[in-house]
């Protein structure tokens, strides 16, 4: 039997894979909302509004103080750390300011570092005949999970096409 369902107001669907921990379900929406939901009842604990769509999985982990954080990225390559208990933003980092770039893969947390992939599909821009092709490029970045400081970033190509 269905116990509960979660609707995404204004959205037809969600691409974000849910994460479940501590009796809560964490998921994102195309409208940029990240939900913390009671896994048993479906009651919403908090909603965080990101700057753009959240379509990748949310990573959960503890910081050095033992506080649980939820890490995720949005459709503008902003990466966030929010307090998993309250939804309060801890930090935000922008990884790739090029047009059409976004975080589409879930971040991975290891040894105090957050690894975040970005992709830059230019198919939307290519519909515009004045679009200058192939200037953007995807990347993988390593961030300090405590502060959001970018430790290193490797791009899929050395230089944007000239």
């Amino acid at each position: 039997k269905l116990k509960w369902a979660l609707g995404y107001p204004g959205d037809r669907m969600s691409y974000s894979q849910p994460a479940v921990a501590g009796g809560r379900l964490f998921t994102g929406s195309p409208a940029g909302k990240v939900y913390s939901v009671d896994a048993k009842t479906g009651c919403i604990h908090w909603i965080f509004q990101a700057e753009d769509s959240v379509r990748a999985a949310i990573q959960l982990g503890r910081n050095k103080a033992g506080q649980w954080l939820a890490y995720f990225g949005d459709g503008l390559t902003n990466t966030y750390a929010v307090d998993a208990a309250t939804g309060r933003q801890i930090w935000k980092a922008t990884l790739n300011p090029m047009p059409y770039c976004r975080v589409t893969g879930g971040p991975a947390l290891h040894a105090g570092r957050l690894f975040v992939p970005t992709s830059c599909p230019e198919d939307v821009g290519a519909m515009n005949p004045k679009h200058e092709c192939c200037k953007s490029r995807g990347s993988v970045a390593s961030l300090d999970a405590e502060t959001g400081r970018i430790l290193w970033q490797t791009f899929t190509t050395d230089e944007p096409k000239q």
Side-chain angles (χ1 to χ4, degrees), residues 2-153:
L2 179 67
K3 297 284 185 179
W4 57 267
L6 177 66
Y8 298 94
D11 292 328
R12 295 183 312 166
M13 67 183 79
S14 175
Y15 299 103
S16 176
Q17 302 82 15
V20 180
R24 292 193 187 183
L25 179 139
F26 300 85
T27 189
S29 77
K33 290 180 170 59
V34 173
Y35 296 87
S36 172
V37 181
D38 187 291
K40 286 185 181 179
T41 66
C43 292
I44 296 173
H45 286 280
W46 52 258
I47 300 171
F48 176 86
Q49 181 65 59
E51 287 187 34
D52 204 69
S53 64
V54 176
R55 55 183 289 171
I58 295 166
Q59 173 71 57
L60 299 165
R62 289 183 190 247
N63 65 10
K64 290 178 183 172
Q67 173 187 31
W68 281 98
L69 301 180
Y71 300 96
F72 54 92
D74 72 14
L76 297 174
T77 73
N78 295 312
T79 301
Y80 302 85
V82 302
D83 183 323
T86 66
R88 182 180 62 85
Q89 182 176 311
I90 304 299
W91 55 256
K92 179 180 93 170
T94 302
L95 300 180
N96 195 338
M98 295 297 293
Y100 312 112
C101 293
R102 56 190 176 216
V103 175
T104 54
L109 184 63
H110 178 72
R113 292 186 177 199
L114 189 70
F115 299 91
V116 184
T118 66
S119 63
C120 301
E122 293 192 57
D123 53 341
V124 175
M127 290 187 273
N128 179 347
K130 294 182 181 183
H131 173 70
E132 201 173 340
C133 180
C134 311
K135 291 281 188 180
S136 58
R137 55 204 176 126
S139 69
V140 174
S142 173
L143 288 75
D144 181 310
E146 294 285 319
T147 66
R149 182 174 63 90
I150 299 171
L151 302 171
W152 56 257
Q153 188 166 18

